[in-house]
Amino acid sequence: MSHSFYYMARDQLQALINELRARGYQCIGPQVRDGAIVYDSLADCTQLPRGISEHQSPGRYVLSENNSQRYFSWANGPQAIKPYVFAPRESLWRCEKDNTGQLRFTDLKPAPGPVAIIGVRACDLAALYIQDKHFLQEEKKDPYYLARRQKLFLVAVNCTHAADTCFCASTGDGPRASYGYDIVLSELDDGFLAHGLSDKGLELIKQLSTSPPTETQLQQADEEIQHAARRQTRRLPSRNLKQALFNNLEHPRWEEVAKRCLACGNCTSVCPTCFCHAEDEEPALDGSGSEYFRQWDSCFTQGHSYIHGITIRSTTAQRYRQWLTHKLGSWHDQYGRSGCVGCGRCITWCPVGIDITEEAAAICGENIDA
Amino acid sequence: MKPKIAVHKFASCDGCQLAFLNAGEDLLTLAGMVDIIHFTEAGPIDEETEVDIAFVEGSITTPADCNRIQRIRKNSRYLLTIGACATAGGLQALRNFANAKEWVASVYAAPEYIQSLATSTPIREHVKVDLELWGCPVSAKQVLRAVHDLLFGVTPKVELDKVCMECKRQRHVCVMVSKNIPCMGPVTRTGCGAICPQVGRGCYACFGPAENSNTGAMGVWLQGLGLMPEAIAKRFLFINSEAPEFRAAGTQWKSK
């Protein structure tokens, strides 16, 4: 492994951004906004959250300064890759009536330029893999998702800091980024270890000022990732919980969690694997045309289970059960793995702090580890 | 013949009528599609002619209002409420939780000349309402969509989801989680475009309760954020205090 790592000083991150921008990439990266670390356009390293840590607990996210020179000494924010491939809202097509009364349809498929996202985490990459499986199934690839996905260049960063809500070590999705990226960085006190996975990634690293890493640097990077794994206290098994959950469809816990749950959909919106959307149209007032769009939906909304006059899941207990049994159970049938990557966002960003690991354990009982 | 519409005003601030006047180019399109029979704020005054769609802004607060809304109902094929006052009593419905007579006496030098009811009530408590558009104020988009749907003979689409859904689509950071700001988004109907969280403020529940709102858990969490029961009651009993879900939750916290 060691031969494929390159050491680069901290200033080379700006050089990497410059190289990407010179190649026409719009760079997206983490930065502090509104009390959280969010992803937005990035031109300069000074925008990065240098010396910032975040503390996460159920229903709580707080930033603090840590006096470090590091850019990535935090675990995650409310979103990462998902909005850049699966748009929160996008128009799909437009229909207009011309002078002769004929209808004309226009495809509104996006034609994005190349986008490089810097600072994505192992959990985000695992989630992207799942979203790819959903949106890019053979024979029915989603053209809107595909257009953006094809233009993506990903610079991952290995996690050295786990939030209290993180449990990627138990799902097997982190904290080390092991696939799906172009370049991965391990941040050290004075710079980075960089590894290129794709040809594009390798070629870019070669443009930077690098040197072979020392054995100590490699060990330290490795130790910090292991530390991030050891620090995690929550856990959720990655194995198929379908039977354990489906055997407990009448468990009293569903009603109990429904008493606390606001059914607001924040968990599904911040979940990097949730892909549900609703489609609707926006007609012109005079009926001359109509624009058809889709937007993020959630199994916690009424519309999600509304079918011709009937709402299948009218109660929060049914909606929460739908979410959990799908995410951790029937997801395996569809995508060959669990729908949870252990990022813990649904725990942190639930306004009332409902913890998926706690609920799953309560419902599956001792079967959770079976 | 073009369909006829009317815009009526009861106890209100007139802000919802502005949804029409602020519609810009769409207002001209609308004027080409319908005959605006009655719309005092815009000019035409004729309450007696029968119309296809009557928009009603404001709540019922006087004996005269009680009679006028009956006449309007009789003259209208569809009756739509626009805004919090017409739909859920409005801010002035706070009198329903107090002694209205005392309030009048404390404000007016000669209260015997004031003919107002002890309550401010939503239109649906007086006549059949075909569609309720929530909001304080409603938006031009909401109103025009309802007009479009009715004119084209489709069931009007109304928002049911919580503000949180739109807030997250716009990628705002949750103010409750990151800043401990009490936000009514999780129990409030979307439609405003999540404008308060966008500027770092909590939602004020202007659009009334969303479907399947868990006001119980919401109140308990607000208490956890440090709000006293009286303050929690005020969150529910504010702009839409006559919405049944908010009224029940607010009354409960008020009595604690």
Side-chain angles (χ1 to χ4, degrees):
Chain A
M1 279 284 278
S2 64
H3 65 278
S4 61
F5 278 92
Y6 298 84
Y7 170 77
M8 61 188 214
R10 191 177 307 283
D11 64 358
Q12 289 304 294
L13 186 59
Q14 184 63 53
L16 173 62
I17 293 170
N18 294 345
E19 284 290 340
L20 283 163
R21 284 163 60 86
R23 285 164 168 74
Y25 283 95
Q26 183 205 353
C27 290
I28 304 287
Q31 44 214 280
V32 172
R33 196 183 75 207
D34 299 331
I37 292 167
V38 302
Y39 285 75
D40 210 335
S41 286
L42 182 77
D44 196 292
C45 276
T46 56
Q47 294 170 262
L48 291 168
R50 182 159 73 174
I52 299 289
S53 290
E54 106 285 30
H55 303 275
Q56 302 189 44
S57 56
R60 198 84 189 95
Y61 186 99
V62 186
L63 295 179
S64 66
E65 290 181 19
N66 62 21
N67 293 320
S68 136
Q69 293 302 300
R70 294 194 182 204
Y71 294 123
F72 301 99
S73 52
W74 44 274
N76 59 30
Q79 299 282 353
I81 304 173
K82 181 164 101 168
Y84 291 101
V85 279
F86 171 33
R89 178 178 169 135
E90 67 180 317
S91 294
L92 304 180
W93 48 264
R94 188 189 301 125
C95 172
E96 281 150 318
K97 221 186 269 178
D98 68 15
N99 296 336
T100 66
Q102 285 277 354
L103 296 181
R104 281 177 195 281
F105 289 84
T106 314
D107 189 354
L108 299 176
K109 200 177 84 176
V115 169
I117 309 184
I118 293 157
V120 301
R121 306 309 185 127
C123 55
D124 301 325
L125 294 167
L128 183 66
Y129 167 83
I130 290 171
Q131 293 246 315
D132 283 353
K133 278 206 144 192
H134 173 72
F135 283 106
L136 305 179
Q137 294 170 36
E138 278 310 317
E139 308 293 323
K140 40 186 171 177
K141 288 185 171 40
D142 183 273
Y144 304 89
Y145 179 95
L146 181 65
R148 284 184 287 261
R149 180 67 179 95
Q150 283 173 327
K151 298 286 187 173
L152 219 52
F153 184 93
L154 296 169
V155 180
V157 174
N158 285 317
C159 277
T160 54
H161 173 97
D164 289 345
T165 43
C166 290
F167 54 98
C168 63
S170 68
T171 64
D173 294 304
R176 186 192 304 274
S178 50
Y179 63 90
Y181 56 81
D182 292 286
I183 294 174
V184 66
L185 303 175
S186 278
E187 189 171 30
L188 301 170
D189 280 335
D190 58 353
F192 298 94
L193 296 186
H195 170 68
L197 193 62
S198 67
D199 291 343
K200 272 193 218 165
L202 275 169
E203 189 268 326
L204 256 168
I205 291 175
K206 290 193 175 137
Q207 307 304 312
L208 307 174
S209 171
T210 62
S211 59
T214 66
E215 203 51 44
T216 315
Q217 285 171 329
L218 287 166
Q219 270 172 14
Q220 198 201 331
D222 208 55
E223 172 51 35
E224 290 195 17
I225 298 168
Q226 288 178 35
H227 172 76
R230 283 195 304 270
R231 238 197 123 264
Q232 298 180 15
T233 51
R234 285 183 164 78
R235 54 192 308 276
L236 189 73
S238 62
R239 69 181 189 81
N240 193 340
L241 292 176
K242 188 177 172 188
Q243 278 315 312
L245 288 166
F246 280 60
N247 286 342
N248 284 297
L249 292 180
E250 304 305 326
H251 197 289
R253 186 76 178 199
W254 300 117
E255 292 294 341
E256 194 280 324
V257 67
K259 286 203 178 80
R260 289 176 279 138
C261 175
L262 300 170
C264 63
N266 276 351
C267 50
T268 61
S269 291
V270 298
C271 176
T273 74
C274 274
F275 48 70
C276 282
H277 58 262
E279 296 184 5
D280 199 359
E281 58 188 320
E282 208 157 80
L285 177 60
D286 61 0
S288 60
S290 194
E291 197 155 299
Y292 199 80
F293 66 92
R294 72 175 173 196
Q295 61 184 11
W296 288 358
D297 195 9
S298 165
C299 45
F300 286 90
T301 71
Q302 186 262 357
H304 191 270
S305 71
Y306 178 83
I307 300 171
H308 201 74
I310 303 166
T311 299
I312 310 278
R313 295 181 288 274
S314 57
T315 68
T316 302
Q318 291 167 325
R319 295 179 194 178
Y320 191 87
R321 189 176 71 180
Q322 166 69 23
W323 184 58
L324 209 69
T325 51
H326 184 214
K327 182 77 59 190
L328 306 180
S330 48
W331 203 287
H332 286 267
D333 297 343
Q334 279 179 290
Y335 307 106
R337 62 153 293 166
S338 161
C340 179
V341 295
C343 70
R345 287 185 174 98
C346 60
I347 304 174
T348 300
W349 297 99
C350 170
V352 293
I354 293 170
D355 181 342
I356 187 174
T357 63
E358 208 177 299
E359 299 311 315
I363 287 156
C364 297
E366 55 198 28
N367 296 324
I368 191 118
D369 292 314
Chain B
M1 215 171 69
K2 288 196 283 187
K4 297 185 178 70
I5 72 164
V7 182
H8 299 280
K9 174 193 158 61
F10 287 84
S12 61
C13 76
D14 288 30
C16 288
Q17 295 178 58
L18 292 179
F20 289 95
L21 300 180
N22 288 342
E25 205 178 312
D26 278 337
L27 182 62
L28 297 177
T29 308
L30 181 67
M33 295 167 69
V34 299
D35 281 329
I36 300 172
I37 302 297
H38 174 82
F39 190 176
T40 311
E41 191 159 317
I45 298 179
D46 175 1
E47 280 204 340
E48 304 310 324
T49 301
E50 290 192 5
V51 297
D52 295 283
I53 309 172
F55 292 92
V56 178
E57 178 199 81
S59 64
I60 304 297
T61 59
T62 68
D65 286 349
C66 293
N67 297 327
R68 185 158 63 98
I69 191 64
Q70 296 295 340
R71 285 206 314 280
I72 290 170
R73 175 71 266 192
K74 214 179 287 174
N75 286 338
S76 314
R77 184 170 169 218
Y78 294 116
L79 189 151
L80 276 62
T81 60
I82 49 171
C85 300
T87 310
L91 207 54
Q92 61 273 24
L94 291 178
R95 75 161 77 151
N96 303 357
F97 302 88
N99 186 329
K101 214 172 160 185
E102 272 177 21
W103 278 14
V104 172
S106 69
V107 173
Y108 296 98
E112 61 273 24
Y113 293 107
I114 305 296
Q115 288 194 332
S116 73
L117 300 170
T119 55
S120 162
T121 43
I123 302 301
R124 71 166 167 280
E125 290 192 18
H126 300 266
V127 296
K128 175 177 174 277
V129 173
D130 297 297
L131 183 70
E132 295 184 319
L133 297 179
W134 294 78
C136 183
V138 291
S139 68
K141 197 176 151 186
Q142 251 177 310
V143 172
L144 294 175
R145 177 68 189 261
V147 176
H148 167 276
D149 290 353
L150 287 174
L151 293 182
F152 284 84
V154 295
T155 308
K157 182 185 153 52
V158 289
E159 296 283 358
L160 297 169
D161 294 349
K162 279 122 195 165
V163 170
C164 299
M165 288 298 298
E166 184 56 27
C167 187
K168 299 293 115 34
R169 281 181 207 123
Q170 295 189 20
R171 301 178 58 191
H172 303 320
V173 175
C174 178
V175 296
M176 199 136 68
V177 171
S178 69
K179 293 181 184 153
N180 255 346
I181 295 174
C183 176
M184 297 294 278
V187 293
T188 303
R189 187 188 295 258
T190 187
C192 62
I195 50 179
C196 285
Q198 184 180 5
V199 292
R201 289 162 53 147
C203 164
Y204 289 88
C206 302
F207 276 63
E211 69 83 35
N212 189 30
S213 277
N214 190 346
T215 51
M218 186 75 218
V220 170
W221 196 260
L222 292 176
Q223 194 174 31
L225 292 183
L227 262 62
M228 299 302 282
E230 180 63 23
I232 299 169
K234 282 181 178 170
R235 297 274 158 174
F236 289 110
L237 305 178
F238 186 32
I239 301 166
N240 288 294
S241 64
E242 285 300 314
E245 301 93 322
F246 284 1
R247 190 188 165 95
T251 309
Q252 209 181 357
W253 283 101
K254 214 174 149 87
S255 65
K256 281 189 184 176

